[in-house]
Structure formats: C-alpha cells, structure tokens
Amino acid sequence: MRRIAAGLAAAALGASVLATAATPAFADEPDPDFAGGNTSLALDANPEPAWRGKPIRLDGKLSVQCEDDYISGFVQVLHSDACKKQERWHRLAWKRIVILFRPNGTGKWEYVDSVRTGRDGYFHTRVQARTSGTWRAVFEGARHLEPSEATDYVKVIGRRHR
C-alpha cells in the first residue's frame, strides 16, 4: 500500500513515476512494518442505575489513531475515511460492533445485538434492563484495523415480578 501511496503522491506532485516501476506497485505481499490501525472503542450505558424492565441506552464511539504508518501521503488504508492533519483520533464509519452482556454472578457473556457505527463513528442501541451486570461492546477488527472493546457496569434496581 505504501508503494501505491508513494506513486500516487509523486504523480500528484507532477514527479515522474518511472522510479517506482522497478518494484511491482500492486504486489500482495504484506508490509512487515505495518501492524494495523490502533483502534479505540468507548461505551456508555444509561441510565445508571436502571429500573428493571425499562430501557437502557447503549452509546459508543469507534475511533482509529492517526499515525504516520496508517495514513501515508494522499492515500489512507481505509478507503472511505481520512484523518485531517490536526486530528489525533479519527472516527470510523460503518463498522460492526457486537453487544454482549454478563449478569452478576456468572462468567459467561451472552450475545445481545450487533450494530453498525454511523457515518460519524457513533453507535446506539436500546436494550431492556433485566438484571445487574456488565455490558460489553466489541469491535472484532477489520482489514488493517486492530480489534478493541469496552465495558460498562449497570446496576438494575426494582423488584422481580414472580
């Protein structure tokens, strides 16, 4: 990808691209210096504490760190996203986030929902408050993006109806 970026940057500046013709521009060989974009996932569950049977809103944001290894010249690894020069973190659009729940007293995560980030990198979903426990959002990673996750504990109050 860096070879393609270097060729496109040179072409954009009016320089000759013949210097890069000796190495294949579209080689599928992995770049050993590229580890992937460092991602960050944030999650917030509201209200806290929640009333049993009432909805809990799960909000979050998925971002990638803008680094020299990640953005190269005029070409970025993500095809539809770009970092501005003043940004340290850039929000990622249209990525899949898996929502899991672990009730108090258990060690098993339960699948709840799968959502996508919007064009601004934020995601939202509503779930019903059943019992106290930990909510977890997971970004499983993508091509050139490292996985990340976030958790938030919510205490549920109110009686159980038996």
Side-chain angles (χ1 to χ4, degrees), residues 109-124:
W109 290 100
E110 301 171 3
Y111 173 84
V112 177
D113 197 5
S114 181
V115 296
R116 290 211 177 261
T117 58
R119 67 178 184 188
D120 57 358
Y122 289 95
F123 64 91
H124 316 282

Side-chain angles (χ1 to χ4, degrees), residues 1 14 19-20 32 69 75 82-83 86 93 96 108 115 117 119 121 127 129 134-136 138 141-142 155:
M1 292 301 277
T20 62
D69 286 340
V75 178
C83 285
Q86 67 273 14
R96 183 174 175 254
K108 184 177 177 183
V115 296
T117 58
R119 67 178 184 188
V127 292
T134 304
W135 292 95
R136 178 179 174 195
V138 178
K155 181 177 182 174

